[in-house]
Amino acid sequence: RIHVTRYADLFMLAMRRGTVKDRSSRSPQLESRPTRNAGAEPTRNVISAALLHNERLFTVVVMIWLSVVLYGDIIVFSSAVVECGQRMGVSTSSLRHEEAATSLQQVTRVLFVSDPQLTSPYSYPFMQNRLLNWLVSLYSDLYMRKSYVTIQTFLHPEAVFFNGDLFDGVTSTLYDHDRRATFTEEEYSTLYDRWNWVFGAHSKAVAPRWLFNVSGNHDIGWRIDHSLQEKLVKTYESHFGDLNYVTRIGNFSFVVLASGALIPTAHPELAQKAESFITRLDDNDDLELDRILMFHVPLWRPNNQDCGPWNRRGPFYEGRGYSYTNLATERVTDRLLHDIKPKYVFSGDAHDHCQVTHKLGDIPDAVERTLNTFSWLQGNRVPSFGIAVLDNGKRVLNFEYCELPDQLAIYIAYGVLAIFTIFVSIVLARNPSGADEDVFNNSDIDEEAGKRSVDDHLVEQQSSSFFRMAIGKVTTVAILVSSTFASAVCWHLLLVWIYL
């Protein structure tokens, strides 16, 4: 009697949930035939319930992802550049080429980019792995490409100075890896192609009229073997032009000088050319123009010299290592200030901001601005650039430091959102209809089970259904997470395509 009563109660429970059909309507042949894939039904029910009954919440999560990726890939870059332009009081509207040419007749906007240092297989030890090298190089280049195109689009610079360390070469890592300290021709050609993509023209942006390059210690070396430096100089000049030259922009004369040539250990020919260039400046340059010195290594200053509000890592200190030095020597600094008499100096190398004023006797003061790196993989999480507006009718230079987005913080935000997505997917995987409590969902109580102990049958069904429900929930989480991530990745690739 007890067994019959339990059997009846279980049957009525299944009938109320609509999972057992009226057996009297089935033929004896169908009654005796085992149900195909009956064990998979609870799993499918869990997945269907999670996806259908939580469709709105799932859609909200996907929309959050699309919004966050749009902000992290596009809006945050545009906002940083536009905010910088507004601080300077310049128009940041998107102009056509002919409109930009008209707007730049009265003033000249000069962009300063320092230390992009395109990564190579020798930048970091882990980049010997081809996949990691490709992935890190791609997203390093993409960051600079997005930044550069956005600057072109909103600030319309007419001239651009790349202030040294164009590639991440001539490093101790490169030297120690295979007993050489320079790239092969194939490696350099690959880097140069990447350079042209990162800083090349974009169809929807106003391309600068002039591009100028300044050599750095990663480009031509510093205190290295003379034969090696000779090779580096020839390779650099064949791709990026002369090491020392003068160019006029507006009412200013820009003096570009190779910092690696003004040290006692420099290649004799390199040093001789630099000395001759400085000597000829008075004869070839118009002295009525204010001079701006472009020199990669920061000029000497006391170790405790304050660097101003934009500095993030404190004052610069003297120090040197393989093929680098933190500051030019005091002798070289005095020589440059005395012979060139610059009104402004732009340097790089330190991967941080610094603004100091140099005083030397009765020579006019020179304001030096050291520029931060343009790359997010060179030790400073907040890359930046400099923008100057030259008034063509006056000897006025208005300069502004402009910080770019913290790419690592953006990726951390993506990671936090990914964890949130997995958590939400686990919650959604819970069967909202309570199917996990129904151990007899779509299960037939056959005659053979009726012959056995109902208690044993109940335990068997409960155990089987538990594992089916667990598999269903895990599968649901995988579907929800993969679908969300796939949507975000496709959206990210679409946004990347904008900058190609």
Side-chain angles (χ1 to χ4, degrees):
R1 183 181 302 175
I2 295 176
H3 287 175
V4 172
T5 303
R6 289 181 178 177
Y7 189 94
D9 291 340
L10 291 172
F11 181 81
M12 293 303 296
L13 176 62
M15 287 293 292
R16 285 197 301 270
R17 294 187 175 181
T19 58
V20 176
K21 296 183 179 180
D22 186 0
R23 292 180 179 272
S24 62
S25 62
R26 293 194 287 182
S27 62
Q29 291 81 4
L30 293 177
E31 181 73 19
S32 61
R33 181 183 301 173
T35 304
R36 297 184 59 188
N37 297 328
E41 290 301 324
T43 302
R44 287 197 291 265
N45 285 348
V46 172
I47 298 173
S48 300
L51 296 179
L52 295 178
H53 292 274
N54 298 281
E55 181 178 0
R56 290 185 178 180
L57 185 55
F58 173 70
T59 303
V60 170
V61 174
V62 172
M63 293 305 298
I64 291 176
W65 262 105
L66 299 184
S67 301
V68 171
V69 172
L70 175 63
Y71 180 81
D73 280 5
I74 300 289
I75 297 177
V76 69
F77 287 86
S78 301
S79 300
V81 173
V82 170
E83 190 270 337
C84 178
Q86 291 174 345
R87 288 204 312 268
M88 298 191 67
V90 299
S91 172
T92 56
S93 60
S94 182
L95 305 179
R96 297 192 302 271
H97 287 67
E98 59 273 15
E99 293 175 338
T102 301
S103 68
L104 292 172
Q105 289 178 356
Q106 301 301 321
V107 297
T108 302
R109 300 178 187 179
V110 181
L111 171 66
F112 298 94
V113 173
S114 185
D115 299 85
Q117 290 187 221
L118 267 64
T119 56
S120 73
Y122 313 103
S123 297
Y124 308 100
F126 66 83
M127 291 188 67
Q128 294 300 308
N129 181 285
R130 290 187 178 183
L131 177 60
L132 289 178
N133 176 48
W134 176 82
L135 193 62
V136 172
S137 298
L138 171 64
Y139 278 91
S140 173
D141 293 356
L142 182 60
Y143 178 92
M144 292 187 284
R145 173 67 174 173
K146 289 194 292 186
S147 301
Y148 188 69
V149 170
T150 304
I151 293 169
Q152 289 185 19
T153 303
F154 291 101
L155 298 184
H156 325 297
E158 195 172 17
V160 180
F161 280 91
F162 297 100
N163 201 16
D165 283 358
L166 311 183
F167 300 157
D168 196 13
V170 201
T171 64
S172 57
T173 302
L174 179 64
Y175 181 83
D176 293 339
H177 177 66
D178 54 5
R179 299 303 177 187
R180 62 185 176 85
T182 186
F183 298 113
T184 64
E185 292 183 4
E186 182 180 358
E187 289 172 336
Y188 202 95
S189 178
T190 300
L191 285 168
Y192 187 67
D193 290 340
R194 286 170 53 195
W195 173 272
N196 288 329
W197 179 75
V198 172
F199 298 108
H202 191 273
S203 58
K204 296 183 180 180
V206 180
R209 294 176 59 186
W210 305 297
L211 299 176
F212 304 101
N213 300 301
V214 182
S215 62
N217 55 292
H218 281 272
D219 303 313
I220 65 171
W222 183 284
R223 292 187 176 91
I224 61 175
D225 181 76
H226 287 176
S227 61
L228 173 61
Q229 189 167 50
E230 182 180 10
K231 179 182 178 181
L232 292 170
V233 169
K234 289 181 179 179
T235 303
Y236 176 89
E237 290 183 329
S238 66
H239 289 83
F240 297 103
D242 295 336
L243 296 177
N244 310 303
Y245 58 92
V246 179
T247 186
R248 175 175 177 173
I249 301 178
N251 285 324
F252 290 89
S253 177
F254 285 79
V255 179
V256 178
L257 189 59
S259 57
L262 299 179
I263 55 176
T265 58
H267 189 283
E269 183 179 354
L270 181 64
Q272 191 275 330
K273 287 182 178 180
E275 293 289 343
S276 300
F277 172 77
I278 296 175
T279 302
R280 295 194 309 268
L281 273 178
D282 290 344
D283 298 331
N284 299 332
D285 191 26
D286 192 344
L287 291 179
E288 69 181 17
L289 300 179
D290 290 327
R291 288 175 174 173
I292 298 176
L293 175 61
M294 304 298 301
F295 197 74
H296 177 68
V297 177
L299 301 184
W300 183 89
R301 77 288 306 276
N303 286 334
N304 60 350
Q305 180 74 50
D306 181 64
C307 279
W310 289 94
N311 177 268
R312 288 180 173 270
R313 296 188 293 185
F316 296 171
Y317 294 90
E318 291 185 271
R320 62 174 61 103
Y322 177 80
S323 193
Y324 82 89
T325 184
N326 293 340
L327 298 174
T329 64
E330 187 174 5
R331 184 187 65 82
V332 169
T333 298
D334 292 346
R335 167 89 185 280
L336 294 176
L337 295 176
H338 181 272
D339 292 353
I340 299 178
K341 299 179 178 63
K343 186 175 183 178
Y344 302 101
V345 179
F346 288 97
S347 58
D349 188 67
H351 298 189
D352 200 0
H353 297 288
C354 191
Q355 180 170 322
V356 298
T357 300
H358 296 281
K359 301 179 182 292
L360 182 65
D362 58 352
I363 304 242
D365 295 348
V367 178
E368 179 184 1
R369 294 183 174 94
T370 301
L371 305 172
N372 185 20
T373 176
F374 197 67
S375 170
W376 69 283
L377 289 177
Q378 295 301 326
N380 195 322
R381 285 182 51 176
V382 184
S384 60
F385 61 94
I387 188 77
V389 178
L390 311 182
D391 191 320
N392 293 335
K394 305 176 183 178
R395 295 186 178 184
V396 177
L397 182 150
N398 296 320
F399 180 85
E400 189 69 46
Y401 287 115
C402 304
E403 292 188 333
L404 292 168
D406 183 345
Q407 183 65 76
L408 184 59
I410 295 174
Y411 288 154
I412 291 175
Y414 290 167
V416 172
L417 185 56
I419 295 174
F420 171 76
T421 301
I422 295 174
F423 173 77
V424 171
S425 299
I426 293 174
V427 173
L428 295 182
R430 299 182 60 187
N431 190 348
S433 63
D436 54 339
E437 299 176 0
D438 184 7
V439 298
F440 291 103
N441 191 19
N442 284 335
S443 299
D444 290 329
I445 304 177
D446 51 24
E447 295 179 0
E448 182 181 355
K451 296 177 182 179
R452 295 179 299 173
S453 169
V454 175
D455 290 336
D456 293 340
H457 179 68
L458 179 61
V459 171
E460 179 183 348
Q461 290 283 21
Q462 287 176 333
S463 177
S464 175
S465 296
F466 172 79
F467 287 110
R468 291 168 186 167
M469 294 300 172
I471 294 173
K473 291 182 179 182
V474 171
T475 305
T476 302
V477 172
I479 292 175
L480 293 175
V481 171
S482 60
S483 299
T484 305
F485 288 176
S487 301
V489 170
C490 291
W491 181 235
H492 168 69
L493 294 177
L494 178 63
L495 297 178
V496 168
W497 177 80
I498 297 175
Y499 295 98
L500 299 181

